[in-house]
Amino acid sequence: MSPVGALHLGGANAFLPREHLRQTDAVDLSELSSATTTLDDLIERVSRVANEVLEAGDEGFAAELYEVERSLRMAHRRLQATMRRRK
């Protein structure tokens, strides 16, 4: 059960007081910006390896890597959109 006036964020003991959510309005978004840069790098690396694997003839493995690339791109877009809404 959640404590009265708290928001459950998932996990065993992941309750935050609702006041805390209002305090995060001033959070510096630089950490998230850095994460988007890291995602850019991961997308590029996975894509490059997928292309190399495809050229080597392993279509199944390449297809799986392209799926990972798509997932990373979706995460990147979602993170950027979340940051835009937060500003």
Side-chain angles (χ1 to χ4, degrees):
M1 279 189 107
S2 69
V4 175
L7 178 68
H8 186 263
L9 298 176
N13 295 309
F15 290 97
L16 287 177
R18 293 197 185 278
E19 313 78 65
H20 176 74
L21 297 178
R22 285 184 222 102
Q23 293 169 2
T24 61
D25 288 341
V27 168
D28 182 10
L29 298 177
S30 63
E31 285 294 321
L32 295 178
S33 179
S34 176
T36 62
T37 302
T38 300
L39 282 169
D40 284 332
D41 183 49
L42 285 170
I43 291 165
E44 181 182 322
R45 291 165 65 187
V46 169
S47 178
R48 184 176 55 246
V49 171
N51 290 334
E52 291 171 2
V53 167
L54 184 61
E55 288 177 15
D58 193 342
E59 293 178 11
F61 187 40
E64 289 184 41
L65 289 173
Y66 287 129
E67 183 61 35
V68 170
E69 178 191 5
R70 281 189 293 276
S71 295
L72 289 170
R73 287 185 189 283
M74 288 188 316
H76 185 269
R77 283 192 300 269
R78 178 127 189 228
L79 182 54
Q80 286 183 318
T82 300
M83 289 171 54
R84 279 192 302 273
R85 285 190 299 272
R86 191 68 174 154
K87 289 180 181 179

